[in-house]
Amino acid sequence: YGSDGPPPSKIANVVAGAAIQKAVDPSVKTCVSKLQAMESGTPSLIVILRERVNKLAASFENPDVRKLANRLLHEPTMRLRAGELTSDDIDSVVSQIESRLRDDFPVS
């Protein structure tokens, strides 16, 4: 409405509601999710997972193993952050990554 004055209140309310729905609500959800993850010890679980997989990757002589291990860590790390995985899942994740590394880089 520019220089014609403020928009009608109904239009302003619709626009404000859409802005909240598209911008504010997702931001709040993201922040709440991150806070819940921090409170549940997720950062520590991510460190534990990464340390175990990095130690495993270091046991291979091929330097490309670490690159693949880091790529394979991405998905479970995101799932830990999202609360889809717990500490009970770490052993299984490490085993799956180990299996993939051994398949791709067999030890002679």
Side-chain angles (χ1 to χ4, degrees):
Y1 285 86
S3 63
D4 296 338
S9 63
K10 284 185 179 180
I11 292 175
N13 287 339
V14 169
V15 171
I20 288 170
Q21 192 174 26
K22 288 189 178 218
V24 176
D25 289 348
S27 295
V28 169
K29 274 186 177 179
T30 299
C31 289
V32 168
S33 177
K34 287 180 180 181
L35 284 172
Q36 288 172 334
M38 287 172 47
E39 289 174 354
S40 69
T42 299
S44 298
L45 294 178
I46 291 170
V47 169
I48 290 166
L49 175 62
R50 290 190 162 277
E51 285 177 348
R52 287 185 58 188
V53 171
N54 286 336
K55 183 177 178 183
L56 173 66
S59 70
F60 288 77
E61 293 182 17
N62 189 326
D64 292 332
V65 172
R66 177 155 281 176
K67 291 176 189 175
L68 177 58
N70 282 333
R71 280 196 303 259
L72 295 173
L73 277 168
H74 178 74
E75 186 260 339
T77 299
M78 294 295 106
R79 291 185 64 203
L80 275 167
R81 285 189 180 134
E84 297 171 11
L85 296 176
T86 67
S87 60
D88 296 336
D89 300 308
I90 289 181
D91 287 340
S92 174
V93 170
V94 172
S95 293
Q96 290 171 10
I97 291 174
E98 179 178 15
S99 177
R100 172 71 189 275
L101 294 176
R102 294 203 185 285
D103 287 346
D104 287 16
F105 299 95
V107 179
S108 36

